[in-house]
Amino acid sequence: MIRISIDAMGGDFGPEIVIPGLATALERHPDIRFVIFGREEEVRPVLNRHPTLASSIFHHCDVSVRMDEKPSQALRNGRWKSSMWRSIEAVKTGEADVCVSAGNTGALMAMSKFCLRTMANVERPAIAGIWPTLRGESIVLDIGATIGADAQQLVDYAVMGAAMARSLFEIERPTIGLLNVGVEEIKGQDDVKDAARILREIPLPSLEYYGFVEGDDIGKGTVDVVVTEGFTGNIALKTAEGTAKQFAQYLRDAMGRTLMAKIGYLFAKGAFNHLREKMDPRKINGGVFLGLNGVVIKSHGGTDALGFASAVDVGYDMARNKLLSKIAADLSHFHKSPVGVAFQGDAENDSEAEIEPQA
Amino acid sequence: MIRISIDAMGGDFGPEIVIPGLATALERHPDIRFVIFGREEEVRPVLNRHPTLASSIFHHCDVSVRMDEKPSQALRNGRWKSSMWRSIEAVKTGEADVCVSAGNTGALMAMSKFCLRTMANVERPAIAGIWPTLRGESIVLDIGATIGADAQQLVDYAVMGAAMARSLFEIERPTIGLLNVGVEEIKGQDDVKDAARILREIPLPSLEYYGFVEGDDIGKGTVDVVVTEGFTGNIALKTAEGTAKQFAQYLRDAMGRTLMAKIGYLFAKGAFNHLREKMDPRKINGGVFLGLNGVVIKSHGGTDALGFASAVDVGYDMARNKLLSKIAADLSHFHKSPVGVAFQGDAENDSEAEIEPQA
């Protein structure tokens, strides 16, 4: 049985989409048991409409974190008692194997760091996203936990991303690429170059270092895991989303232009539906917080029940494939290697200070 | 008359695509006069096949810069004498208004910096790209001249990008957005925040500061000019290219899946052709080097004649609309403002050192 704790109050629509999402996920994976946190008067009526969820555990929480709350505010107002905090805490206490929330990313990350703390040997967590590619799916991280990353952090991301790829895609030795620019004259990015050197020098059984990749390699699926720092990763993700929307709009416009096009559209409707399904952002939903002593999945805030169910699916796979122990084992393997040991002098956990709320 | 100097040896195919591209551009803009540089034995035969280009000036050059040559190598081997150098130099001497090359970006930027030098008040040049959007076209810079940019450089990019937008789109006061991540908890990027403060505080007649934009705002066309540093800009550009290719492939696959889809495709062929044309990367080709004492246009190396003609079109527009004097005037206006003056203490031109070839 996989136990998943749920922040029912997260997202733009709260329990109205979260609870139906759980029902959908349960159909796919009957061995899930949910531990749901939220305001009784809002959650209970929706829960009652879904009898399959009757075996879920429900905990009332007075406080909900708002979508526009700043991380420090959220911590001040919601620590110990909000549905977001308590769903994360359920992972810490062992009541749940993984936590899923559609709440605001900043607050969720701050609370997750504060509650679960970063793993031994990890300087700071990353958010990993699943990216549809021409070859299937790849993992891209960091898509927005932190701006900037030094060589050691990039290597940590590589190790963690590889563990996630092994959990999600069930491949033995995922390929890892470091995102870089291919333009010769560009100097700098010493961190990326240093990370490349380390990944080349330490042969790890858990991953295969491919080399540098460029932005267009992500969509091609050149590697299983693309590693970059959070600013670039977030911009790349949003840019791809924007381009996909742009293309979809062009296609709609083209198909409505002439009578012939409209007739063609009718004939090819099945194909268009297939394409729409393929491009459906709800099917791949769920950023995975990596590097903490527990797995937290962030669903898009604006998604619907189907999208939330996808985020639950991701959490299910992560828990079932024991992502956390894979990461711990791989990191420990890395840090025992000669190059890894040389690193440990620098490895300070500086992440707490940033998110400590002001009293 | 607009005089355009051409490095006929640049790109993957050299004169074979460059010269036909010039003929196409000349059809569109009969007031262009080309000044062509290249190896006589390779250029002349192709030139002879295009009688409309008979009025072009041709200069033989022994040396061509290879596509895989490092910037420092290219400078060592090709300074003073290569077709690339001499086409740039024609802009410096005033023989041409603008230079177009499909040669390798690193070498072209190094030579352009060395030959033309950066403008007064500009710390370092940027490469600006034209990005198709749902609203039309936007300018994105820097797409790969330099990694990293401080607040002052970002503001310079904003001023230069705005001047380019005025030249290209012929709008009075283009809107400017600074590319950023929208995630609350992310700290850092002080340079972007500082640049935002400066742009808010200095009301410039030449641009309207919009605020921060995210990756998906580029494709939406939220602003006329998107400003970011070269690493992120290059990754965003390549990622968008990758996503567009991915979508096109999905569409092709979908249309070939069933007999109904194939019939639908036949009816909608006109619409698909329209779409293909809209997405055609050859139609928007040409990175503009901004911030030098002369305008240099970089065409994609792998493009064909039509693509090279598009790059020439961009150069034509830049020259006709007096981009260079617009930039100079706008920058001088900015640097005379109180906040701009406060900057000048820091403004050192550090770009030469990087590209000085080793003797």
Side-chain angles (χ1 to χ4, degrees):
Chain A
M1 193 177 62
I2 304 290
R3 298 154 311 152
I4 304 183
S5 61
I6 300 293
D7 167 18
M9 308 307 289
D12 297 342
F13 312 105
E16 286 298 330
I17 75 104
V18 169
I19 303 299
L22 302 185
T24 303
L26 192 65
E27 276 172 43
R28 295 179 195 158
H29 309 292
D31 60 331
I32 297 179
R33 190 158 74 173
F34 292 111
V35 188
I36 303 169
F37 297 86
R39 292 182 68 85
E40 173 122 39
E41 60 275 33
E42 291 181 53
V43 178
R44 189 64 78 184
V46 197
L47 210 46
N48 288 341
R49 294 205 297 268
H50 295 276
T52 55
L53 294 171
S55 66
S56 304
I57 297 167
F58 175 70
H59 295 289
H60 168 72
C61 305
D62 268 332
V63 179
S64 310
V65 172
R66 291 195 322 273
M67 289 307 276
D68 60 351
E69 221 159 353
K70 288 193 177 157
S72 55
Q73 277 184 316
L75 270 173
R76 251 197 318 276
N77 303 336
R79 198 163 22 151
W80 323 127
K81 53 192 175 191
S82 63
S83 59
M84 183 185 279
W85 175 276
R86 291 195 56 202
S87 61
I88 299 165
E89 200 182 27
V91 173
K92 188 183 183 184
T93 60
E95 195 183 353
D97 301 305
V98 59
C99 163
V100 183
S101 171
N104 98 56
T105 312
L108 189 63
M109 178 52 94
M111 285 200 182
S112 299
K113 278 157 91 171
F114 200 92
C115 179
L116 300 170
R117 305 275 152 175
T118 48
M119 295 174 87
N121 293 325
V122 173
E123 270 195 57
R124 53 191 192 189
I127 305 177
I130 303 164
W131 193 298
T133 74
L134 285 175
R135 276 182 53 225
E137 288 173 0
S138 297
I139 290 164
V140 179
L141 76 164
D142 173 22
I143 55 168
T146 324
I147 283 177
D150 62 23
Q152 175 178 358
Q153 286 156 353
L154 291 172
V155 172
D156 284 349
Y157 294 173
V159 172
M160 297 193 296
M164 180 170 155
R166 288 160 64 210
S167 297
L168 199 66
F169 310 142
E170 301 183 11
I171 40 180
E172 277 298 301
R173 216 165 162 239
T175 51
I176 310 287
L178 284 168
L179 196 58
N180 203 347
V181 294
V183 185
E184 262 298 344
E185 92 278 22
I186 296 199
K187 299 288 156 49
Q189 282 303 84
D190 290 332
D191 294 324
V192 177
K193 286 179 199 156
D194 289 346
R197 190 181 46 73
I198 296 163
L199 287 168
R200 267 197 314 270
E201 282 176 12
I202 310 185
L204 286 167
S206 62
L207 63 86
E208 185 188 332
Y209 176 61
Y210 171 90
F212 294 133
V213 292
E214 295 192 56
D216 53 342
D217 286 305
I218 312 177
K220 278 186 205 161
T222 305
V223 290
D224 298 313
V225 181
V226 176
V227 171
T228 188
E229 57 81 31
F231 188 83
T232 308
N234 187 274
I235 299 284
L237 177 71
K238 294 268 174 74
T239 302
E241 286 173 359
T243 306
K245 274 185 202 154
Q246 197 179 343
F247 199 113
Q249 184 62 48
Y250 288 162
L251 183 60
R252 267 193 300 275
D253 292 348
M255 289 300 119
R257 267 182 84 239
T258 61
L259 182 62
M260 289 286 270
K262 285 177 191 162
I263 295 169
Y265 176 80
L266 288 180
F267 273 100
K269 210 161 185 309
F272 282 112
N273 287 342
H274 178 79
L275 181 67
R276 190 173 300 122
E277 210 168 289
K278 190 143 188 135
M279 302 285 296
D280 189 346
R282 296 174 307 173
K283 283 185 63 188
I284 298 185
N285 177 25
V288 181
F289 292 2
L290 297 175
L292 301 169
N293 294 305
V295 178
V296 175
I297 312 290
K298 160 75 176 98
S299 159
H300 264 295
T303 196
D304 62 8
L306 199 59
F308 195 84
S310 300
V312 173
D313 285 350
V314 171
Y316 176 84
D317 283 341
M318 296 297 108
R320 193 170 53 94
N321 291 305
K322 306 212 183 317
L323 171 67
L324 211 59
S325 50
K326 279 199 178 78
I327 293 180
D330 294 353
L331 281 172
S332 130
H333 184 101
F334 167 74
H335 284 279
K336 274 186 204 133
S337 73
V339 187
V341 168
F343 257 165
Q344 286 170 358
D346 316 334
E348 287 163 31
N349 189 321
D350 62 358
S351 59
E352 259 72 52
E354 291 167 28
I355 55 131
E356 200 75 47
Q358 280 142 24
Chain B
M1 193 176 61
I2 304 291
R3 299 153 311 152
I4 303 183
S5 60
I6 300 292
D7 166 18
M9 309 307 289
D12 298 341
F13 312 106
E16 285 298 331
I17 75 104
V18 169
I19 303 299
L22 302 185
T24 303
L26 192 66
E27 275 173 44
R28 295 179 195 158
H29 310 292
D31 59 332
I32 297 177
R33 190 159 74 174
F34 291 112
V35 188
I36 302 168
F37 297 86
R39 292 182 68 83
E40 172 120 40
E41 61 274 33
E42 292 182 52
V43 177
R44 188 66 77 184
V46 197
L47 209 46
N48 288 342
R49 293 204 298 268
H50 295 277
T52 56
L53 294 171
S55 65
S56 305
I57 298 167
F58 176 69
H59 296 288
H60 168 72
C61 306
D62 269 333
V63 180
S64 310
V65 172
R66 289 196 322 275
M67 289 305 276
D68 59 351
E69 221 159 355
K70 287 193 177 159
S72 53
Q73 277 184 317
L75 269 173
R76 251 197 315 279
N77 303 335
R79 199 164 20 150
W80 321 128
K81 53 192 177 194
S82 64
S83 59
M84 184 185 277
W85 176 275
R86 291 196 56 202
S87 60
I88 299 164
E89 201 181 28
V91 173
K92 188 184 184 180
T93 60
E95 194 182 354
D97 301 305
V98 58
C99 163
V100 183
S101 171
N104 98 57
T105 311
L108 189 64
M109 179 51 94
M111 285 201 181
S112 298
K113 278 157 91 172
F114 201 90
C115 180
L116 298 170
R117 305 274 153 173
T118 48
M119 296 175 86
N121 293 325
V122 174
E123 272 196 56
R124 55 190 191 190
I127 306 178
I130 302 163
W131 194 298
T133 74
L134 284 175
R135 276 183 53 224
E137 288 171 0
S138 296
I139 290 165
V140 179
L141 76 165
D142 174 22
I143 54 168
T146 324
I147 284 176
D150 61 23
Q152 178 179 358
Q153 286 155 354
L154 290 171
V155 172
D156 284 350
Y157 294 173
V159 173
M160 298 194 296
M164 179 168 156
R166 288 160 61 210
S167 296
L168 198 67
F169 310 142
E170 301 182 11
I171 40 179
E172 278 299 302
R173 217 166 162 238
T175 51
I176 310 287
L178 284 168
L179 196 57
N180 203 347
V181 293
V183 185
E184 259 301 343
E185 92 278 22
I186 295 198
K187 297 290 155 50
Q189 284 300 85
D190 290 332
D191 293 325
V192 176
K193 286 180 198 157
D194 289 346
R197 190 182 45 75
I198 296 163
L199 287 168
R200 267 197 313 269
E201 282 176 12
I202 310 184
L204 286 166
S206 62
L207 63 84
E208 186 188 329
Y209 176 62
Y210 171 89
F212 293 133
V213 292
E214 295 192 56
D216 53 343
D217 286 304
I218 312 177
K220 278 186 206 161
T222 305
V223 290
D224 298 312
V225 181
V226 176
V227 172
T228 188
E229 56 82 32
F231 189 83
T232 307
N234 187 275
I235 299 284
L237 177 71
K238 295 267 175 74
T239 302
E241 285 173 2
T243 306
K245 275 184 200 154
Q246 196 179 344
F247 198 114
Q249 183 63 47
Y250 288 162
L251 184 59
R252 265 193 301 276
D253 292 349
M255 289 300 121
R257 269 181 81 238
T258 61
L259 181 63
M260 288 288 271
K262 285 177 191 162
I263 294 170
Y265 176 79
L266 288 180
F267 273 100
K269 211 159 185 308
F272 281 112
N273 288 342
H274 177 80
L275 181 66
R276 191 173 299 122
E277 209 169 291
K278 190 144 189 133
M279 301 286 296
D280 188 347
R282 297 175 306 174
K283 283 187 63 187
I284 297 185
N285 177 25
V288 181
F289 291 3
L290 296 176
L292 303 169
N293 293 305
V295 177
V296 175
I297 311 290
K298 160 75 175 95
S299 159
H300 263 295
T303 197
D304 62 8
L306 198 59
F308 196 84
S310 299
V312 173
D313 285 349
V314 171
Y316 177 84
D317 282 340
M318 296 297 109
R320 192 170 54 92
N321 291 306
K322 308 212 181 314
L323 171 66
L324 211 58
S325 50
K326 279 198 177 77
I327 292 180
D330 293 354
L331 281 172
S332 129
H333 184 100
F334 167 72
H335 284 280
K336 274 186 206 135
S337 72
V339 186
V341 167
F343 256 165
Q344 285 170 358
D346 317 333
E348 286 161 35
N349 189 322
D350 63 355
S351 58
E352 258 72 52
E354 291 168 27
I355 55 130
E356 200 77 46
Q358 279 142 26

